[in-house]
Amino acid sequence: MPLLRRRKPSTASDDKDKNEEPESKDVVEDSQQKPHESSKTHKRAGSGSQKVRWSCVDSCCWFIGCVCATWWFLLFLYNAMPASFPQYVTEAITGPLPDPPGVKLRKEGLMAKHPVVFVPGIVTGGLELWEGKHCADGLFRKRLWGGTFGEVYKRPLCWVEHMSLDNETGLDPSGIRVRPVSGLVAADYFAPGYFVWAVLIANLAHIGYEEKNMYMAAYDWRLSFQNTEVRDQTLSRIKSNIELMVATNGGRKAVIVPHSMGVLYFLHFMKWVEAPAPMGGGGGPDWCAKHIKAVMNIGGPFLGVPKAVAGLFSAEAKDVAVARALAPGFLDNDIFRLQTLEHVMRMTRTWDSTMSMVPKGGDTIWGAFDWAPEKGYTFRGKKQKGNETRAANGKDGDKTKYVNYGRVISFGKEVAEAPSSEIQKLDFRGAVKGQSIANNTCRDVWTEYHDMGIGGIKAIAEYKVYTADSVIDLLNFVAPKMMARGAAHFSYGIADDLDDPKYSHYKYWSNPLETKLPDAPEMEIFSLYGVGILTERAYVYKVNQSPDSCIPFQIDTSAHEEEEESCLKAGVYHVDGDETVPVLSAGFMCAKAWRGKTRFNPSGIKTHIREYDHSPPANLLEGRGTQSGAHVDIMGNFALIEDIMRVAAGGSGSDLGGDQVHSDIFRWSERIDLEL
Amino acid sequence: MPIFTRNCIFGANNMLMPPVLRFRKLHFFSPSKEPSVSPEGSQITPDEDNTVPAPKHPLPSCAGKSKNPKERTPKRRRPREWRCIDTCCWAIGYFCTAWWLLLFIYHSLPVPAMLQPPESPGTRLRRDGVTAVHPVVLVPGIVTGGLELWEGRPCSEGLFRKRLWGGWFTEILRRPLCWLEHLSLDGETGLDPPGIRVRAVPGLVAADYFAPGYFVWAVLIENLAKIGYEGKNLHMAAYDWRLSFHNTEIRDQSFSRLKSKIELMYITNGYKKVVVVPHSMGSIYFLHFLKWVEAPPPDGGGGGPTWSADHIKAVVNIGATFLGVPKAVSNLFSAEGRDIAYARALAPGLLDSEILKLQTLEHVMRVSRSWDSIVSLLPKGGEAIWGDLDSSPEEGQACSFSTKKSPKLSETDLNSRNNSVKSVSRVKEPTKYGRIIAFGKRASELPSSQIPSLNIDEISRSSRTSDANSSCGEIWTEYNEMSRESMVKVAENTAYTATTVLDLLRFVAPKMMRRAEAHFSHGIADDLDDPKYRHYKYWSNPLETKLPDAPDIEMYCLYGVGIPTERSYIYKLSSTSSSGQCKSSIPFRIDSSVDGETKDSCLKGGVHFVDGDESVPAISAAFMCAKGWRGKTRFNPSGMETYVREYKHKPPGSLWEGRGMESGAHVDIMGNFGLIEDVLMIAGGASGREIGGDRVYSDVMKLSERINVRL
């Protein structure tokens, strides 16, 4: 029952105690006076007034009764309402809606052909409890992550404890088993009413898909990719399921649809499945060629996301903790004794998977002090959509000062803008970590910042500017244990020689710049992503002076530029993207590094780029919109769904119309100097 | 008092939504409040009926009032009227408040020790060091698995991927005809009707709870989890239980999936063989699977002759319907089975009411006759197993199986002592269980020589009867095509045994039986090596197949005993069908007026009972393990071990225990601690001998001895 209601009865009963005595007097008086009064004034009140005692308790009860009765009545009406009613209202207001792609394509005669596999991303998959500490009694097989998040409110510390992994191993802490929910329900809705895959599933069902030819490759997204196999044998299950679906669907190859981090996960899977056992799945070198028709990556962070850096550095990323977005007020209040962020940080730092999204490729990809591929980008407002305007803007950009996107983290706005020659840096790497001066309140929540001491913090701030390369050193410095754990599972470099035998280790498999694509020339790789939304790219930090906080660094939200076209907002430099993944990360591999026969793509797998320009929902009734380009909302984008369905029904990339580009991805990719 | 009645009805309507408890409280309350209100209510002038009184007491004044007595005077000026609507609101508010308060107290107080459930088997075994060893596959039975909608007619809008079967069953109330239409299968093919796709819910959620709070597998799953099971070594083999077994493979590839899943679990769990736990119909489903998986493609899975031996450690059948259940006969014959249609038990009033224009039973019959799987539950083995006109294995069985604690039957026990003389005489004339359907009590008791022999094939199904009036024609059951004369002939003083009952069904429902008998067979094989037995229709009949060549597999038969279980029926011709009213188009009815002479008689309400678990007679669940497969027989050529484990029914001692931890009822047994412990031990690596071998309470061994089947 909602809290609100429960509170009422208690106040009512309090009043009862207070009221009892005065009321009883009142009653006596009432019964004497009322008859006279009422006989004068109202006829009808006559008989009733004798037993009327409008005590406060009664009023409360009456009020509650009223509210409940109305509520139930509305609920009853709502339940009795025909299901098509909301749609009818929507159509009455906004005019007829376009047919959903499922209906449209069915009319065209498209039918289910290739089995479809979904690979959900980070955060969106549900996790449920299989074994827990005493405080989690009664939560067996209930969702800890996803759903209504009721437990976050009821027992927050217990929840944090169960969601955390072991600090040393990155696996389960002893006595706690939290496992991914399996099946399509794992990620169809993240929270009630907040769809992730549900719209796509519903549309696929229109052309004949069902459980037997759709499969949700749910995995525990907190673990590093190889650990999902070690602990849950998830990769083996995916392999077995794809083989089964291909066999039971008459040998038709599968279409894979990974989203967000699922893209990296599936990249890892493709290497794993062809690698020999025991490290790999032993599927043989032609497994992918035999079983996969196309990989349709949605919003893939191939080269990582700058957000992940901010998340690991100061727990301030917006996306990694969607929970924060759902309950922003909650996390900032006193319930955790002002240590919410620290708790979140401690929890997320036990999740190896967040490290898979640290920017990859270093300065070559993400730019150096004075240079970045996106140089000269200005955000085009929604009003000026035309290509010409954008081109003009690009030229005008020469006159205005550039944003130095390459500086992923800089301390202070001046530093972020100063020419590189003027920046004086002190190397932090050798800095001695002083004794901890952290005050007592921080002890409960152990983050690695405790071991750093003032000396270390100063050294970091004095280095001033970090590019993609040095950011990794920075993380190594501030969180050595976490990075050491992560370094066993992920790598962020660019391979010089892909044939080097060291690259057969699994830690390179999820980095597209250190692996070759499988030998499957008939396969197609799509990169589908939204554009037209400002996306975090670089941060302005400051040292946190507040004594309450245990995290010594904070995004400097005061760094702001007033101009509307500016890319600097609240301490964050933005570029084009889908709100989470910058265009460069989602598009570069398909736009350049894998295009044609390159060393990363030796068999010449065809690649296609499909961008979807963001247009926000016109009104509230549209919900999250059918033309959205945002990272998760794009899963409800009709154009994207149509593309996926056409491929699932047997189409190829050229049937869709090849590339569809709105951003400057090709120009930017050209600027990146990478040996192919 | 129009307002009052209107509001109370309106209130009651709303009450449908919240928990039943509240509903009952309010209902209870308002009549008692009514008299005090009515005098005033009646004086309300009609013109004021329309104006619902606004709350004349703003809440904020409450606090002030009690503190400052001076403020009373202005307060009293406001007219205070107890109207009916106020009373209702007050009552609702009062009870809600009390309810929440209690709920709050309930949640905040620790559970007192006496109410705390005893330690679960999982916790105890874990302490004893039992851990997850073998992967476990659960195979649900009929009815208990959830079904969800994937494609439907316009009337089912908004139900995409919502449960049609299982869960709240709200759609029955909201759109009953639409619901029935979507659950029916095609009358010709036994597959989906065009434009409708209803599929089994996958995963553990398919059958952990049948309805909210009504567990099926949930307790077992929770206990398995305690010793270390989780998604990777625990699998629910959900399938569409409406289809014939072979059709689940044709439509959904359910067998292929199960095979791939078992292989995967075997490999990923360190090459540990799988323990399979089928329940109810799941056990013959899995029997079918064992044959399918070793048969060569295209009709089989092509796993090779050693697949079972390689992958399976034990098959732990719970309440197995190996030889069928007599209930299935009555269900198909007159839609009167209790078990098959759980929905009826959940909403008994609904099905008998006029919502469906008095034809509820016909609707149920039409729907359930489109489900091939029910035919798999018809009694198998014919007269050899189920008895002929004169004798049956169970004859002479006393009917007081329940423990004396059972409140239901304590009275019968008393009577049995008093009427000891009579019961002796009863033993002399044993109940003729072999007559599964008898028309009239006389036919159920006559010696066989006096029963007219009837060749059912000779009765002509005269072409469409003219007297079928239009209201009957809306719901087509195959009875519409039968003439009255042939019905009378069918019913004339006759009795049908397990063998002839099939002829009877073929006669009354030829299309259904033709469709279903392509998938199921109910006989006993003379020669198991006959090549015809390679056909899939024999695979689910344990009397017509050999077990796989896997001497290491252990076969368990776990089932409850001590509950009266339907065994044979006394029917009558439904009298109303001949009248012009056409109240019922099902011409036969169980004659519920027939009762035994003594109170401990096995005959109650037209049904003869034997020992069993309420749905499956003990003989059906146990015979194969007790005799048919024991040792090296022709049905079990490799001589795999079999074990019979019975669980004596003990009803829950108090309401706190819910459905009981020692129940032996067909579904409730899944929460029986003894059974759970056995399953956990087996999954943890114990063999049948280690858990204690056979454990028998009933006289099933004796009964099996009496059955004369060549082994």
Side-chain angles (χ1 to χ4, degrees), chain B residues 502-516:
Chain B
L502 290 176
D503 296 330
L504 176 66
L505 284 173
R506 274 177 213 130
F507 178 72
V508 300
K511 283 190 186 167
M512 174 196 73
M513 290 302 278
R514 216 177 302 132
R515 194 185 68 223

Side-chain angles (χ1 to χ4, degrees), chain B residues 215-217 219-220 279 318 666-672 675-676:
Chain B
F215 71 83
V216 181
W217 293 91
V219 181
L220 184 60
H279 172 237
I318 301 176
H666 192 58
V667 175
D668 295 355
I669 200 175
M670 311 283 283
N672 185 310
L675 177 134
I676 290 175

Side-chain angles (χ1 to χ4, degrees), chain A residues 411-426:
Chain A
F411 279 89
K413 190 184 167 196
E414 301 74 32
V415 179
E417 286 166 359
S420 59
S421 53
E422 291 171 18
I423 302 175
Q424 294 188 335
K425 293 192 292 186
L426 294 170

Side-chain angles (χ1 to χ4, degrees), chain B residues 149 155-164 171 175:
Chain B
L149 183 77
C155 72
S156 68
E157 208 184 320
L159 294 181
F160 176 66
R161 286 185 60 222
K162 297 271 188 310
R163 282 198 183 197
L164 289 189
E171 295 310 318
R175 25 194 153 170

